[in-house]
């Protein structure tokens, strides 16, 4: 049985990954380490908290002795590393914590993993490390790294550390670089859930700049299946780009959402642009498709419909975030310990 450490498994993508592994891969034990920052939410793990193959631990990836203890107590053999500060806007207003978590935190995990018989360390990175594209072309795995925001710079630094630990200490590793994800459990500070949340309350939808910035959207479940394939089938040392072949301008995404929600376009409000806003991201995922036989399972139209349906069916989840109640969930759950 695989004994997997998942970091950041109470966040958006991490929790979707934990659900997928427990449902689809019964031969895997998951130790879920998450600090429960503002972005971590135990309600994302409803239905699996008591699963016999899942243990949740609240803790900081930067705390090396604690991380080492977890590796030993749970006989961890592999790692999928999601834990991060992940929001570009926050990295512009407060970059320090991005270095602490994304760089120093990754370093601590690498130290713990490389000092043991870890069979695979999967670094979940982002297409944003490649910088911004013009009107043509797509990012491949050999595109030079040229990060533009403190967030992407911290992720690029972490990627370099992962590579260095592979080269210097022989740690078996992979790096995945994915485009923008959307789907259930995404914190409503990111474009799609923010717009759904605002629209359902008839609040203005803040579109940055001219709204013509392009992102390449991928349904979160499809990102999770790609990561699993990388963990289980990839050759060590390889980088894999993951994307949905689905480029859209932000304004078109927002209009599509309003259409699905039956809300008027008059809610759209063009606001001041993000400083240093990357114009276009687009992923060439050909290597991942060819080498690992991976492909996305849904079109953007289908995935967006499923996502909107999920947010409508789970209004309480959104309400708990808006009210701040989601952060007391841990305390109430563990009050007797
Ligand atoms: P998220 O912000 O929703 O979740 C991050 C999780 O990490 C939270 O649960 C948080 O509590 C936890 N965390 C933060 N600091 C921690 C620490 N010091 N110790 C332990 N846990 C800590 O992020 P996400 O959108 O799920 O992204 C997950 C990963 O995927 C990140 O590494 C991100 O860079 C990458 N990624 C995200 C996207 C996207 O579109 N969201 C795209 C490509 C790559
Ligand atoms: P975001 O979800 O923050 O992801 P990223 O910056 O990592 O791509 O933003 C997606 C796009 O939407 C990006 O071009 C910025 C834009 N955006 C808005 O126009 N308004 C908003 O309120 C937010 C959060 C993002």
């Amino acid at each position: 049985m695989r004994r997997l450490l998942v970091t950041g498994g109470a966040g958006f993508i991490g929790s979707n990954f934990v659900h997928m592994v427990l449902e689809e891969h019964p031969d895997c034990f998951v130790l879920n380490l998450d600090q429960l920052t503002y972005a971590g939410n135990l309600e994302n793990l409803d239905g699996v908290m008591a699963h016999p193959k899942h243990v949740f631990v609240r803790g900081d990836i930067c705390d090396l002795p604690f991380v080492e203890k977890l590796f030993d107590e749970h006989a961890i053999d592999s790692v999928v590393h999601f834990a991060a500060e992940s929001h570009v806007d926050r990295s512009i207003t407060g970059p320090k914590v991005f270095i602490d978590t994304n760089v120093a935190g990754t370093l601590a995990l690498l130290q713990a993993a490389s000092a043991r018989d870890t069979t695979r360390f999967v670094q979940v990175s982002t297409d944003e490390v490649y910088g911004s594209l013009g009107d043509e072309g797509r990012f491949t795995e050999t595109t030079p790294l040229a990060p533009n925001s403190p967030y992407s710079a911290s992720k690029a630094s972490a990627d370099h550390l992962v590579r260095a630990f592979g080269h210097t200490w022989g740690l078996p590793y992979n790096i995945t670089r994915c485009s923008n994800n959307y789907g259930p459990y995404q914190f409503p500070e990111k474009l799609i859930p923010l717009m759904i949340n605002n629209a359902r309350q008839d609040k203005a939808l803040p579109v940055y700049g001219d709204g013509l910035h392009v992102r390449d959207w991928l349904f979160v479940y499809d990102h999770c299946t790609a990561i699993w394939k990388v963990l289980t089938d990839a050759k060590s040392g390889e980088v894999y780009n993951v994307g949905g072949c689905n480029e859209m301008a932000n304004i078109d995404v927002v209009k599509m959402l309003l259409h699905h929600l039956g809300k008027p376009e008059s809610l759209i409000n063009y606001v001041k642009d993000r400083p240093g806003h990357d114009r276009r991201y687009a992923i060439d995922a050909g290597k991942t498709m060819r080498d690992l036989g991976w492909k996305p399972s849904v079109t953007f139209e289908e995935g967006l419909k499923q996502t909107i349906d999920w947010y409508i069916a789970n209004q309480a989840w959104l309400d708990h975030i808006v009210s701040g109640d989601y952060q007391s969930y841990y305390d109430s759950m563990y009050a007797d310990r």
Side-chain angles (χ1 to χ4, degrees):
M1 172 174 314
R2 182 180 293 278
R3 299 192 63 83
L4 180 65
L5 171 63
V6 172
T7 69
F12 163 47
I13 307 173
S15 64
N16 275 281
F17 183 78
V18 169
H19 281 283
M20 183 204 74
V21 171
L22 295 173
E23 275 158 36
E24 299 180 15
H25 303 287
D27 54 343
C28 186
F29 163 80
V30 176
L31 176 65
N32 184 350
L33 170 62
D34 196 298
Q35 194 180 15
L36 298 179
T37 66
Y38 81 93
N41 182 352
L42 283 186
E43 293 183 37
N44 295 359
L45 295 166
D46 271 355
V48 295
M49 280 306 275
H51 192 291
K53 298 236 173 79
H54 175 228
V55 170
F56 178 83
V57 179
R58 185 177 195 175
D60 187 350
I61 56 165
C62 302
D63 183 347
L64 180 57
F66 179 68
V67 168
E68 288 184 312
K69 196 162 149 265
L70 289 179
F71 265 83
D72 294 337
E73 278 180 7
H74 295 275
I76 294 303
D77 57 41
S78 38
V79 180
V80 176
H81 175 34
F82 294 96
E85 288 295 329
S86 69
H87 190 40
V88 174
D89 291 328
R90 286 179 190 256
S91 81
I92 294 168
T93 53
K96 171 77 165 59
V97 69
F98 283 73
I99 305 306
D100 295 342
T101 297
N102 301 1
V103 184
T106 302
L107 174 64
L109 290 168
L110 289 166
Q111 287 174 302
S114 62
R116 290 161 178 77
D117 294 330
T118 306
T119 57
R120 194 58 52 103
F121 187 103
V122 177
Q123 157 77 353
V124 180
S125 188
T126 166
D127 60 355
E128 301 191 27
V129 298
Y130 297 122
S132 184
L133 289 166
D135 292 340
E136 300 296 320
R138 293 176 166 198
F139 300 129
T140 71
E141 288 81 357
T142 55
T143 301
L145 303 196
N148 287 322
S149 71
Y151 162 65
S152 53
S154 68
K155 293 294 292 187
S157 308
D159 290 8
H160 283 314
L161 281 174
V162 173
R163 184 177 185 280
F165 270 71
H167 186 81
T168 307
W169 285 282
L171 176 69
Y173 76 93
N174 294 102
I175 299 172
T176 62
R177 298 196 177 122
C178 189
S179 58
N180 287 61
N181 286 213
Y182 67 97
Y185 303 119
Q186 187 167 28
F187 196 83
E189 65 182 353
K190 304 276 167 70
L191 182 75
I192 289 180
L194 178 93
M195 298 299 174
I196 295 174
N197 189 31
N198 282 16
R200 81 185 174 116
Q201 300 172 74
D202 296 310
K203 280 168 55 175
L205 310 192
V207 173
Y208 297 165
D210 61 8
L212 297 178
H213 301 80
V214 170
R215 297 294 184 262
D216 181 357
W217 295 96
L218 181 70
F219 192 53
V220 63
Y221 175 78
D222 290 330
H223 186 189
C224 293
T225 60
I227 293 167
W228 182 262
K229 278 198 178 279
V230 169
L231 173 70
T232 55
D233 295 351
K235 197 171 126 225
S236 172
E238 296 291 321
V239 176
Y240 291 95
N241 281 356
V242 186
C245 296
N246 197 11
E247 287 182 56
M248 296 226 354
N250 293 338
I251 190 62
D252 294 330
V253 173
V254 171
K255 285 183 179 168
M256 209 165 155
L257 279 168
L258 286 169
H259 174 73
H260 278 299
L261 289 161
K263 297 284 184 178
E265 289 188 9
S266 56
L267 287 175
I268 294 172
N269 181 28
Y270 288 95
V271 298
K272 192 167 174 284
D273 208 353
R274 169 188 282 171
H277 195 173
D278 284 341
R279 192 64 173 171
R280 174 171 168 258
Y281 303 142
I283 278 275
D284 178 343
K287 177 182 172 185
T288 308
M289 291 176 171
R290 277 189 311 274
D291 286 11
L292 303 175
W294 171 86
K295 62 177 185 343
S297 68
V298 291
T299 62
F300 184 61
E301 183 80 27
E302 289 161 349
L304 193 66
K305 170 94 179 51
Q306 280 186 40
T307 302
I308 292 170
D309 289 348
W310 186 87
Y311 277 92
I312 290 170
N314 291 276
Q315 289 219 356
W317 179 89
L318 211 42
D319 290 339
H320 292 166
I321 290 178
V322 174
S323 69
D325 282 355
Y326 75 108
Q327 289 189 304
S328 52
Y329 195 82
Y330 178 85
D331 299 327
S332 61
M333 198 152 183
Y334 290 85
D336 55 337
R337 303 194 179 187

